[in-house]
Amino acid sequence: KRTQEKALDFTIKALEKQIPKKPIEKSPWVYHCPSCDSQDIEDVFIKKFNFCPDCGQALDWSDSND
């Protein structure tokens, strides 16, 4: 049963990352991932990507400054 619980936890976490979250704006043009705080999304040009390159979190860029 322990293996099944681990598999369920892993699956739930993977599914939750598919729900888009707004990136954290640290300053103009500097954004961090809301899940892993990755700084790899801090370039304004990264807005063309829909997922964090480090953890795979879906990102929601709607209503963000362009």
Side-chain angles (χ1 to χ4, degrees):
K1 178 152 176 140
R2 186 146 179 110
T3 303
Q4 289 176 339
E5 288 176 9
K6 287 181 183 179
L8 284 174
D9 287 343
F10 180 80
T11 303
I12 290 168
K13 287 178 184 177
L15 288 171
E16 286 176 342
K17 284 193 177 186
Q18 293 181 15
I19 300 169
K21 293 183 181 178
K22 298 221 178 271
I24 300 166
E25 185 174 2
K26 299 288 185 168
S27 66
W29 303 298
V30 177
Y31 297 89
H32 288 210
C33 175
S35 291
C36 71
D37 202 34
S38 171
Q39 297 178 12
D40 286 345
I41 65 167
E42 55 182 36
D43 191 318
V44 68
F45 300 109
I46 202 77
K47 285 186 179 185
K48 64 185 173 186
F49 299 110
N50 295 322
F51 295 89
C52 172
D54 285 342
C55 73
Q57 173 64 54
L59 300 172
D60 176 5
W61 292 103
S62 65
D63 297 324
S64 64
N65 296 333
D66 289 329

